[in-house]
Amino acid sequence: MQLVIGRIGKPHGVRGEVTVEVRTDEPEARFAPGSVLRTEPGAVPPAPVNEPGVVFRVPAELTIEESRFHQGRMLVAFDGILDRNTAEALRGTLLVVDSADVEPPEDPEEFHDHQLVGLAVVTLAGERLGEVARIDHAPSSDLLVLRRPEGRTALIPFVRAIVPEVDLAGGRVVVDPPAGLLDL
């Protein structure tokens, strides 16, 4: 499974540096110099570069030459992207890593989103409620987005009082929802 860790934004300056919308909890590790990141195929159409007849194609991989935070934004320079026009052609490109390359968290109470998506959601009594469709990261707590069997969705706060157990090996999340939570 491909995990999006960032999206390339607008160029910064004239030497090929770009802004990156970070979508990972570990930007310093993911965007370290020398890291090779895959690009999402077809994320952006080929864009023209300033030379007549030359079309820039987004490479399948980009190597990070340098990265830094500047005024709250991640700025990245990629190997071989040397000018603003080429950097502009990368705009909108998604940067991805394979979930198999992501180390599991050291804390047994912490999970990556991709570990939870697809797990069955059951009550304490074993009644199947649906499956985890995605995780929404809200300001107060993370939310499990539950895909119900009838096609509706429900939001379950990912807090110990409501989600007492996550059994990755068993492929399930055990929940104890308060009355009415799944009817919202």
Side-chain angles (χ1 to χ4, degrees):
M1 169 189 282
Q2 297 295 313
L3 305 175
V4 176
I5 61 164
R7 186 179 69 71
I8 297 176
K10 65 183 181 178
H12 179 81
V14 297
R15 297 192 177 151
E17 204 170 36
V18 295
T19 61
V20 172
E21 175 190 318
V22 176
R23 297 186 188 174
T24 177
D25 290 341
E26 302 170 326
E28 292 81 11
R30 298 275 172 239
F31 295 98
S35 297
V36 178
L37 301 176
R38 281 178 240 155
T39 59
E40 182 66 35
V44 291
V49 180
N50 247 357
E51 302 170 36
V54 175
V55 174
F56 176 79
R57 301 211 185 277
V58 176
E61 295 182 335
L62 292 167
T63 302
I64 295 179
E65 192 172 280
E66 182 183 346
S67 66
R68 62 191 169 99
F69 278 97
H70 175 69
Q71 297 181 346
R73 283 191 213 145
M74 170 71 74
L75 299 178
V76 177
F78 294 106
D79 188 38
I81 308 299
L82 305 174
D83 61 56
R84 185 175 183 89
N85 292 332
T86 308
E88 178 65 40
L90 293 174
R91 188 187 285 221
T93 300
L94 297 176
L95 302 169
V96 299
V97 295
D98 193 312
S99 61
D101 297 337
V102 176
E103 293 290 322
E106 292 178 16
D107 182 355
E109 297 294 315
E110 188 177 321
F111 305 95
H112 291 299
D113 292 1
H114 72 275
Q115 293 177 294
L116 300 172
V117 172
L119 295 182
V121 178
V122 298
T123 65
L124 293 171
E127 175 191 355
R128 185 177 166 89
L129 300 174
E131 73 175 32
V132 177
R134 69 176 189 276
I135 312 301
D136 284 351
H137 301 280
S140 60
S141 73
D142 292 339
L143 299 167
L144 298 176
V145 178
L146 172 65
R147 183 180 307 116
R148 305 279 293 169
E150 65 274 4
R152 293 182 318 125
T153 60
L155 300 177
I156 300 175
F158 194 26
V159 295
R160 180 165 290 289
I162 299 173
V163 184
E165 181 183 354
V166 174
D167 180 6
L168 293 178
R172 67 189 189 126
V173 175
V174 178
V175 298
D176 186 15
L181 179 68
L182 300 177
D183 299 328
L184 297 175

